[in-house]
Amino acid sequence: MADSLSDTLKKLKITAVDRTEDSLEGCLDCLLQALAQNNTETSEKIQASGILQLFASLLTPQSSCKAKVANIIAEVAKNEFMRIPCVDAGLISPLVQLLNSKDQEVLLQTGRALGNICYDSHEGRSAVDQAGGAQIVIDHLRSLCSLTDPANEKLLTVFCGMLMNYSNENDSLQAQLINMGVIPTLVKLLGIHCQNAALTEMCLVAFGNLAELESSKEQFASTNIAEELVKLFKKQIEHDKREMIFEVLAPLAENDAIKLQLVEAGLVECLLEIVQQKVDSDKEDDITELKTGSDLMVLLLLGDESMQKLFEGGKGSVFQRVLSWIPSNNHQLQLAGALAIANFARNDGNCIHMVDNGIVEKLMDLLDRHVEDGNVTVQHAALSALRNLAIPVINKAKMLSAGVTEAVLKFLKSEMPPVQFKLLGTLRMLIDAQAEAAEQLGKNVKLVERLVEWCEAKDHAGVMGESNRLLSALIRHSKSKDVIKTIVQSGGIKHLVTMATSEHVIMQNEALVALALIAALELGTAEKDLESAKLVQILHRLLADERSAPEIKYNSMVLICALMGSESLHKEVQDLAFLDVVSKLRSHENKSVAQQASLTEQRLTVES
C-alpha cells in the first residue's frame, strides 16, 4: 500500500505537468482510495510530496478532473494539520472560481473542500473571505432554494455547512453574512426543505450561531422564522432535535418583536404541553426539557405585548395554567410559575386583578414551603412577584391585611444576598404611604438590627442600598418617635447620614427627609449620633457643591434649620460659616431653593 502510494504520488507529479488525462484520472482514483483507507497517513504523505502546489493547476475550469481534485482536497482538509498547507499552496482562489461552475458534482466537492479548510481555521476563513467565496455561495443558496430533488438538497446542505464553518464563532464574518442577506434565505430553505433532516439540522445550527449576534435579530424579525420553528418543533419527537430548536429559540426570544411572533405562532401551547408531559418524569432528558421549556415560557413573558396577549385580562388559559404551577411539587415549575407571575405583574391593571383573585395567598403558601432549607431561586422568584404586586397603591393595604409582611419576615435570617435584596424591596413597597405598617415594622427591633447589619454589606451594593432605603422609609412613612428611637438604639443613624452622600439623588433625598424628621421629632435622642457621623460637615459640603441637585440643596437647608435646636450641633453650624454658602443660594435659579435660602439665612442670623 505504502509503496503504491509513493509510486502514485511520483506518477502524479509527472502526469500533472504532462496532463495525460487517463493516467491522471487513474492516479487521482488511487489517491482517493488511499485516503478512504487511512486518511491521516495518506494526507501526511501528500503534504510531504509537495503535490498540493500542483493541485492549483488542476482546478482550472478547463480541467476534466477538477471535481476529483476538489474531492481529494476536501478529504485531506479533514485533518487540522492540512488546512494551512492548503491555503499556502494557493488552492483557495481556484476553488472559489470553481463555485461559478454549472456542474453539480464540481460544486458539491468544491463546497466540501472550502468548508473543511475553513473549519476552525483562521487562515482558511481569511483566504475564503478575500477571494469572495461567501457571496457566491449565498447566491447559489438563493437560486437553488426551491429545488427539492435529493442531489440538490445534498448540495444545499454542503453549502450551508460551508457557511457555518466559515463564520462559526467569528462575529465579523457572521455580520458579513447577515449583511449579505443570508438570514431570509436560510429561513426560506427551512420552510421548503423541512422534510430533509440533514438540511434542517444545518439550518438550525446556522440560526443558532447567527442568533447570538444582536444585529441579526431585526433581520430574523422580518422573516417568518417564528412560524417555521414552531411548525418544526411540533413535528419533533426526539429530545436532541427539540433541544436544537430550543437553542435557536432562546436567543431569538430575547427580541420583543420575535417574542410576540412566537406567541402568535403557538409556541406557548407547545411549551405547556411539554411541561404537562414531563412534569412527573425523573429521566434526565425530560428534566432538562421541562426546565428549558418553562424557562423559555418565562422569557416570552418579558415582552410587554407578548405578556399582555397571554394575560388576556386574567382570563387567558395560559395565565391559568401558569397559576397551577405554583402549588406544584416540582421546584422547577414553582420557580417558573413565580417568575411568570412577576412578569405578568408589570402593570397596575394586571397587579390589581391578580391580588383580587387570590394570587398573594398562593405565593405566601409557596414561600411557606421554602422557609426551612428552602430553594433560594424559588424564594427569590416568589419575593420578586410579591414586590411587583405591591406597587399599585390599592394593593398595599390588601396585601398587608393578608399577612404578607409576616410571611416575608420569616426570611430575615437568610444569608443569600438575592433573597435579602428582594425581601427588602418587598417591605419597602408595602409600607409606602402606609403609616401604621411602617410604624409596626419600624418598632420591630430584630428587623431594624438586621437592616443596620446589612447597611454594612459592602460586598453587596444592592442589599446595602435597599437596607438604607428601607431604614429611611420606616421613618418617612411612620413619622413615629418610637420608630426613630428604635433606629437610634440599633445604631442606624450613621447609615442615614452616609446615605445623604450617595451618588443617587433619590437616595440622598430620602436620607435628608428622614434626617429632618429625626431632627424635628427626636433631636435629643439622636444628637450624639448625628454629631459623630459628622452630619453638619456633610450638609456644608452638599450646599457648597455646585453639582448638588436643587432638591438636595433645599432639603439640606430644611435640615440645618431643624438642627438649630441642639446646642452642640448649633455650635458646629456657626463654626462652619454656613451664612456665606446660604446667602449665595438666595439667587439660585430654582425658586424653592432661593426662598428656603432666605428663610435659612434669617434663622442663622437670628440664632447667631
Side-chain angles (χ1 to χ4, degrees):
M1 168 75 198
D3 291 346
S4 66
L5 177 58
S6 304
D7 292 345
T8 301
L9 289 168
K10 280 179 197 155
K11 198 170 168 190
L12 191 55
K13 274 190 177 173
I14 300 159
T15 49
V17 179
D18 296 352
R19 292 294 174 99
T20 8
E21 296 293 339
D22 289 350
S23 49
L24 190 56
E25 291 273 352
C27 290
L28 295 172
D29 287 336
C30 281
L31 270 192
L32 282 168
Q33 266 179 322
L35 283 163
Q37 283 169 5
N38 189 331
N39 191 317
T40 311
E41 196 181 314
T42 307
S43 296
E44 283 167 350
K45 293 210 160 129
I46 288 175
Q47 189 188 357
S49 72
I51 200 91
L52 276 180
Q53 280 71 9
L54 294 175
F55 282 168
S57 64
L58 299 176
L59 289 169
T60 58
Q62 300 76 34
S63 164
S64 62
C65 55
K66 50 189 178 283
K68 269 186 188 157
V69 175
N71 187 358
I72 290 169
I73 296 169
E75 289 301 318
V76 300
K78 287 177 177 175
N79 302 287
E80 193 182 344
F81 65 87
M82 288 300 284
R83 289 170 201 149
I84 293 177
C86 284
V87 175
D88 293 343
L91 300 181
I92 301 296
S93 186
L95 281 168
V96 169
Q97 290 309 309
L98 285 184
L99 288 172
N100 295 307
S101 169
K102 297 276 180 282
D103 182 311
Q104 205 162 27
E105 179 64 14
V106 171
L107 287 174
L108 185 77
Q109 299 304 345
T110 305
R112 285 184 62 234
L114 288 169
N116 290 352
I117 292 170
C118 285
Y119 185 79
D120 242 355
S121 163
H122 169 70
E123 293 76 10
R125 292 169 180 181
S126 198
V128 173
D129 179 23
Q130 280 162 9
Q135 186 67 65
I136 305 172
V137 171
I138 290 175
D139 292 343
H140 276 306
L141 288 176
R142 266 192 210 116
S143 60
L144 302 170
C145 186
S146 38
L147 305 174
T148 53
D149 59 285
N152 187 60
E153 288 195 321
K154 192 176 175 186
L155 181 57
L156 288 169
T157 307
V158 165
F159 279 159
C160 281
M162 184 232 141
L163 289 180
M164 255 170 43
N165 287 355
Y166 170 70
S167 65
N168 190 28
E169 290 182 355
N170 183 313
D171 286 359
S172 66
L173 292 179
Q174 286 179 352
Q176 179 197 72
L177 294 184
I178 291 167
N179 291 336
M180 289 174 177
V182 74
I183 287 173
T185 306
L186 288 174
V187 174
K188 198 172 164 195
L189 267 181
L190 182 69
I192 296 170
H193 302 275
C194 56
Q195 302 303 326
N196 184 303
L199 185 48
T200 299
E201 204 163 303
M202 214 49 102
C203 285
L204 287 174
V205 179
F207 291 146
N209 289 347
L210 295 170
E212 296 293 340
L213 226 63
E214 212 35 60
S215 58
S216 73
K217 307 277 202 310
E218 240 164 81
Q219 275 213 23
F220 273 119
S222 65
T223 69
N224 63 335
I225 181 84
E227 206 181 309
E228 294 298 354
L229 287 174
V230 172
K231 207 160 63 183
L232 191 64
F233 192 84
K234 284 177 179 168
K235 282 192 233 167
Q236 301 306 328
I237 316 156
E238 291 170 50
H239 168 77
D240 292 350
K241 292 276 164 58
R242 278 180 172 179
E243 204 58 33
M244 276 187 90
I245 303 173
F246 273 141
E247 278 170 21
V248 181
L249 288 169
L252 285 180
E254 285 166 12
N255 176 281
D256 281 0
I258 300 175
K259 280 187 183 80
L260 188 59
Q261 291 168 6
L262 289 168
V263 167
E264 286 170 345
L267 178 61
V268 172
E269 288 71 14
C270 298
L271 297 176
L272 288 172
E273 204 174 309
I274 283 180
V275 167
Q276 203 169 352
Q277 288 167 1
K278 313 290 180 189
V279 65
D280 297 320
S281 169
D282 48 11
K283 278 196 212 149
E284 203 171 317
D285 280 357
D286 290 348
I287 293 167
T288 305
E289 214 165 301
L290 177 76
K291 178 175 171 20
T292 315
S294 53
D295 283 350
L296 187 52
M297 179 83 194
V298 172
L299 181 58
L300 291 174
L301 293 173
L302 275 172
D304 288 339
E305 281 186 83
S306 49
M307 177 271 286
Q308 217 45 49
K309 191 176 175 64
L310 294 170
F311 189 66
E312 289 182 71
K315 305 277 184 287
S317 61
V318 173
F319 172 65
Q320 296 301 331
R321 286 281 285 280
V322 167
L323 276 187
S324 73
W325 293 355
I326 293 174
S328 135
N329 288 321
N330 182 302
H331 281 187
Q332 174 57 35
L333 276 198
Q334 294 171 359
L335 170 65
L339 286 172
I341 297 302
N343 286 345
F344 279 125
R346 285 208 317 279
N347 64 49
D348 284 6
N350 292 5
C351 288
I352 292 164
H353 181 282
M354 287 193 277
V355 169
D356 286 346
N357 284 276
I359 188 66
V360 170
E361 289 70 17
K362 284 190 170 69
L363 289 167
M364 289 191 338
D365 288 346
L366 176 60
L367 276 175
D368 239 13
R369 296 162 71 182
H370 287 278
V371 176
E372 298 303 326
D373 310 320
N375 181 306
V376 173
T377 48
V378 175
Q379 293 171 359
H380 179 259
L383 288 167
S384 295
L386 287 171
R387 181 198 173 280
N388 288 3
L389 290 166
I391 293 172
V393 177
I394 194 169
N395 280 357
K396 296 181 198 294
K398 293 175 185 171
M399 290 175 72
L400 287 165
S401 61
V404 173
T405 42
E406 292 77 6
V408 169
L409 285 172
K410 289 177 187 170
F411 294 91
L412 255 190
K413 55 182 184 288
S414 171
E415 293 303 331
M416 305 307 288
V419 174
Q420 296 166 354
F421 180 72
K422 287 296 176 190
L423 172 149
L424 292 163
T426 308
L427 291 176
R428 188 164 63 79
M429 284 302 157
L430 280 170
I431 62 164
D432 191 5
Q434 306 295 311
E436 199 181 317
E439 180 162 11
Q440 206 181 343
L441 278 179
K443 290 193 294 194
N444 179 330
V445 177
K446 268 190 182 157
L447 169 65
V448 174
E449 283 177 349
R450 195 72 160 129
L451 291 184
V452 170
E453 183 190 327
W454 286 341
C455 281
E456 290 169 8
K458 302 248 184 317
D459 295 344
H460 302 285
V463 172
M464 197 161 95
E466 276 293 344
S467 303
N468 277 303
R469 293 190 76 185
L470 183 52
L471 263 188
S472 153
L474 291 170
I475 295 169
R476 287 182 296 111
H477 298 303
S478 71
K479 300 182 177 58
S480 150
K481 291 183 167 205
D482 288 341
V483 170
I484 294 169
K485 283 177 188 163
T486 308
I487 289 172
V488 172
Q489 282 156 10
S490 304
I493 297 296
K494 63 180 181 200
H495 297 299
L496 290 171
V497 174
T498 307
M499 183 181 168
T501 63
S502 163
E503 56 188 338
H504 305 289
V505 173
I506 190 163
M507 285 176 69
Q508 280 187 291
N509 222 14
E510 288 171 358
L512 290 168
V513 172
L515 289 164
L517 282 164
I518 292 169
L521 297 171
E522 276 294 324
L523 186 54
T525 314
E527 184 179 47
K528 278 197 171 62
D529 287 355
L530 294 171
E531 224 176 303
S532 59
K534 307 230 178 328
L535 173 62
V536 174
Q537 290 89 321
I538 285 169
L539 292 174
H540 188 275
R541 210 163 61 227
L542 290 175
L543 287 172
D545 188 346
E546 285 174 10
R547 292 166 305 179
S548 294
E551 59 267 42
I552 301 302
K553 290 190 187 301
Y554 177 87
N555 282 324
S556 295
M557 288 188 282
V558 169
L559 183 47
I560 284 294
C561 295
L563 294 176
M564 303 301 265
S566 151
E567 207 175 307
S568 55
L569 292 168
H570 184 172
K571 187 177 182 315
E572 282 189 26
V573 171
Q574 284 177 319
D575 292 348
L576 270 176
F578 265 84
L579 263 173
D580 301 350
V581 187
V582 171
S583 57
K584 280 182 193 159
L585 293 174
R586 280 200 344 234
S587 54
H588 196 278
E589 58 188 3
N590 182 297
K591 275 204 182 110
S592 302
V593 172
Q595 280 172 347
Q596 187 59 41
S598 295
L599 290 171
T600 309
E601 188 179 34
Q602 284 168 21
R603 184 80 195 267
L604 289 170
T605 316
V606 170
E607 302 271 350
S608 61

